[in-house]
Structures are given as structure tokens and as C-alpha cells.
Amino acid sequence: MSNGANNAAARPSWLLRLYTNAPVLFCFCAMAILMTALWCLGFRLNNDADDLLKLHEIRTLLETGNIFDRTLPGIVQPEPYVSHWPWIVDLPYAAFARLVTPFAGFEPALMLASFAVPLLLLAPALYFYNRLVIATGFAYPAVAFPLALIFAARTFFEFAPGRIDYHNLQILLLLAALVLMMSRNRFSAFVNGLLTALSIAVSAEFAPFYALVIAVYAFDWIFDREGGESRIVGFGIALAAGAIGLFAAIVPPSAYTAVRCDTYSTPHVTALVAAGLSFAVVPSLAGRRGGWAMRTAILLVFAAASAAALAKLFPQCLASPYASLDAYVRDNMINRILQEMSLFRRPDVVLSTGFPSMALLFIGALAPAVICAGRHGRSRPLVILALFSLLALVLAVGYVRYYRYLPIFAGIGLVFVLASLLSPDARLGRYLKSPVPAASRRYTLILPGLVLSVAMALYNLSVKPSEAAVPAGELADNCYSSPFEPEQGWPAGAIVLSPPLVGSRFVALADGPKVVTIANHPSAKGIERSYRFLDPATADPRAILDATKATHVAICAWRGPPLPALEAAYPFAAGLIEGRPPAWLRECPTAASSPLRIYSYRNADGTDAVCPASTLAIQARP
């Protein structure tokens, strides 16, 4: 009797057995519930203006049905705004909204797609992340996976409701590529070639990661690893075929010869096809006679020839995507965006609330490399994880835009660190048992990350990053994070000149006014005009309103006591922010709680522009 009771007590419950068999399902439900609850409470895990533009872009695609014309209405600089995002990025949301529209209506279906599709993309992303955890060799992946997910939550918040930028799709494709590289299935390399072409077609932002994917397949062939030849050929054929197929699907025939460095066009497909064909033919050229040195030399010759040809054909793409922008825009806006800086230039690295989490990420990112540095404990999955983790760390330090992706790799590394600190006899220590050698236990895995964090802190304390003066356009845009809805009920033909982030709020409205600019680099001409409008060096701001045909001005409001420092540095901008417009602008009535001030200018025929109709009361002047 007692033995039976003991056996029953030792037997895991059905819920625990279900979790052990399907940890991805449980973790998906937990994350989906958490992110949905935060969304319902008004918390936005990613307050990115690109999501607002993406909403406008998807709405336009659904309304016009034209997949090739990426000109977005509603943004009049007055030059047309042409999106640099391909239509395939909009496809999941547009398809979902199209299916739901007959039942819910157009706008509700669009809102539902913005809410649901990121969560639907989260499910396969978690599946591939779990496969990655399993491949690294933990004894109980069902325990290691949720821990890694907790450490990597910052990255997976890219799948929160409303996060409809392309970053979540890029993360999903990269996780799939990592798992396919670790697979021994003979078709995995072919599928990975297609995914690589798709990822670059979505955005070249992940090109460094996929360069490493290419390097791994090249390494397998150079050193004659099992199946290396078939993998490099399959990957190369799929890469070339996928690049050509996506080019035909994305680029209209009239633009086949056009060169656009910031979106998928002739330079990108040429580079991918050159790399794919090189991989497809090098095994037959080398045969079985050459060793690793000859194989390396053949690949290097192909790579050098391809790079030289690309540089000769497309020299304009050798610089950054922002190189062609006016220096005024780069200096006053682009170069001031925190994610466009390196960690060496950011003034908020040390003595900030984010520094401890940064140090933790550094520790986790370097832990796999420390393990692989020893003689024991190496495995193909662990070496691949270490390489990508190091690359992500270098990219994150050099260009903060990549910082959001570092937790993917640091999360698994931190589980290794946690396992090394726990006693093997402890319950959690047994569950986190891994192939980490004894030499890597205790503080060995922590030390490199700590050293890097201390070095970063010392650098930023000794070489304090210079901080340029804040332009008036940025000060007038500082209410973007406030929870507000822009005024609606705009008169027909209204065109609003506003700072870029405020403009992004307006452009996302279903029935909003046209805007001169938004916070995205294809709107550089509009950004320049909105910043120069508020710049004290501009002699006549009305000339900018006339040039853009703007009928209204919208600007973040200050409703407290006067700001003497702002008034001294930027008298014109301060007057608009504080509600003291010049005689040629008339303040429109707005709700007392509105963080915006709206001014009417004049119509093209010289008549006074009409204020938005839905405003509630004349704003009381402070």
C-alpha cells in the first residue's frame, strides 16, 4: 500500500507530463497572455514610429491592391514618398485583414491583423528557439528553454501586439536558419538558401548574420565535413534561384535596371546570385584533388571577383544607406537617434538603469565562446551558437540598432552561466546539466563579460561622448511617447507640417490629414523642411509653409510656466510650443489634455485654413 502511494507520488502529474512534451505551447500561451495584458493596460513594449507607418502602408496595399507601386499617399513633402519596404513584408497582415474584413469591416480587420499577426509569428519563433536550446545539449530542455526565454524576453517582445515592423519576421527567419544549419537533413541547406534570399529581400539589415551562414557552409565544404559538398551546392542553387524569384515578385519590370541601395533591387539580387552560383560550381571545379588550401583559394577568388564587380557596377551602394541624405538631416536627426549610434558614442550607457542588464547580456553573449575555447564540450551546435553570439555582440556594440537581437544568443549563454554556478547536486543544477566542462564552471563563464562591461564603463567615464545642442525640431517632437490620439475631423485638403514623430501619428489615422514628413529616411526632404521651419537660423519660416503647401502646423505643447532657456535659444519654436504664435498663424481649439498645439495657416487660394472640427474647447493659455 505504502509502495503504491510512493510510486503514485513519484509519478509526475499529467500537467507536468504535458508541459514536458510541449514546452513551446505553454511558453507561447504565457508570453501571449503577458503581452496582451500589457497591451490592454496601455503599455507599449516597443514604441516605434515605424509601426505607424507600416499601418498606413498595409492600409494602402489593401485599398489599392497594387503590390508594385510603393508610393504612399498622405505624405506630401511635396515630393512623393516611396517606401523602401517590399510588399512581402506587408503580406501576412494584408492577407489576415482580407480574410477578416467580410466579418468585421475594413478598419477593425486591419486593427485585428495588427494585434494578432505578431502573436501568430511568435509561435514558430518559439519553436525554432526551443530547437536551438535542444541542439546545445541541455539534459532537460523543458527547463532550460523557459529560462533562456526569460533572459531573451526583450527580443521576443518584438512579437508584441501592434509590433508590425519587419523585425519580428527577420528574427523568425534567422532562428529558422540557425536550426537548419544544425540539421543533418539533406534538404536543410537548400531550404536555408531560400530563407537567406527571403531575409535579404525583406531587409539587408541581417546581411552580417547571413554572411556568417554562408561562411559556415563554406567551412563545411573546405574541410570536407560529412555532406559538406552537397550542402554547399544545394544552398548555392537555392540562394540564386530564390534571389531571382523574389526579384521578379517584388520589383516591377519597369524598375529592373533601377539601383536602390536601401531596398531589394538590382545590387542585392546581383550579389545573391553571384554568391549562389559560386557555391554551386566550386565543388565541380575543385574536384577531389585539392585540399583545404586550394578550396579556400577558389572560394576567395570567386568572392573577390564578385566584390570587385559589385563595387564597379554599384559604387553608390558602398556607403551607408544614409550617405545620400542632406548633411543637415544627418546632423540634426539621423545621427542623434540613439539606435544609430555605437555604444561608445551613446551618452546614456554608464550610470543608467540599463547598464546592469547590458552587463548581463555581455556575460551571456561571451559564455558560449568561453566554453568552445576549451578542448572539451565543443559540438557543432555550440560552436555555431558561439560564432553568432560573438557576431551579435560586436554588432550591438558597434551599432545599437542590433542591440535588440543580442538577447536571443545571450539568453542561452546565461542558462549555461546559471548551470555553472549551481551545484550539480542541487535540483535545478541537475535539470540544467549540460556538456559544459568542469573547467568552465563557477566564475570562468562570467569573467569575460564582466571585463568587457568594466572596460565599456571606464571608456565612457574617461572619454565622455560629446553631446551636440538639441535642435528645436527634436524638442518640438518630445510628446511622441505620450498616450494621445491626434485630432481628427480635418477639413478636406489639409496638409500638416509637424515634427517627424508627430507626423507619424497623423499618417496612421484612417481619415487623417496629409503630412509633410514622417520619421523615416525616405522622408528626408520633409524632415529637413520641418526642422528648418523651427530652426532660429531660418529667416522666414513662412517660405517653408508655402513651399510645402502646408495648411496647418502641429507641434508638441508645453502648458506649464514659461521656459526662459527655450525662449532664449529658440524664440520662434518656443512661441509655438507655449502658445504664442506669430500673427500669420492662428491657434486652433484643442482639448485641455491634448499634448499638441495646432495652428491654421492658409489654403492655396489664400483663404484661412479651417481648424479640425473635432476639437473640444479652446485651449487655455498658460
Side-chain angles (χ1 to χ4, degrees), residues 380-451:
R380 177 184 172 86
L382 197 53
V383 170
I384 290 175
L385 174 66
L387 290 173
F388 277 85
S389 186
L390 286 174
L391 177 59
L393 178 61
V394 171
L395 292 173
V397 171
Y399 194 12
V400 178
R401 173 184 290 271
Y402 291 94
Y403 193 82
R404 61 166 66 97
Y405 311 117
L406 184 60
I408 293 177
F409 308 100
I412 299 176
L414 286 171
V415 178
F416 281 116
V417 171
L418 181 61
S420 70
L421 295 175
L422 294 172
S423 169
D425 298 326
R427 187 172 185 179
L428 184 57
R430 293 197 303 270
Y431 284 133
L432 293 181
K433 184 179 179 182
S434 68
V436 178
S440 297
R441 291 194 174 278
R442 296 299 175 189
Y443 303 106
T444 309
L445 297 183
I446 297 177
L447 188 59
L450 285 179
V451 170

Side-chain angles (χ1 to χ4, degrees), residues 196-275:
T196 299
L198 176 58
S199 183
I200 300 300
V202 168
S203 170
E205 183 175 335
F206 272 24
F209 290 116
Y210 286 96
L212 186 52
V213 171
I214 292 172
V216 169
Y217 285 112
F219 178 90
D220 287 344
W221 174 70
I222 288 171
F223 292 96
D224 202 20
R225 297 297 175 90
E226 182 183 354
E229 180 175 331
S230 62
R231 282 200 294 270
I232 195 174
V233 172
F235 180 86
I237 292 173
L239 180 63
I244 295 172
L246 286 165
F247 184 76
I250 293 172
V251 181
S254 59
Y256 280 173
T257 59
V259 176
R260 290 191 62 188
C261 303
D262 61 346
T263 190
Y264 194 66
S265 63
T266 305
H268 301 81
V269 70
T270 303
L272 293 178
V273 170

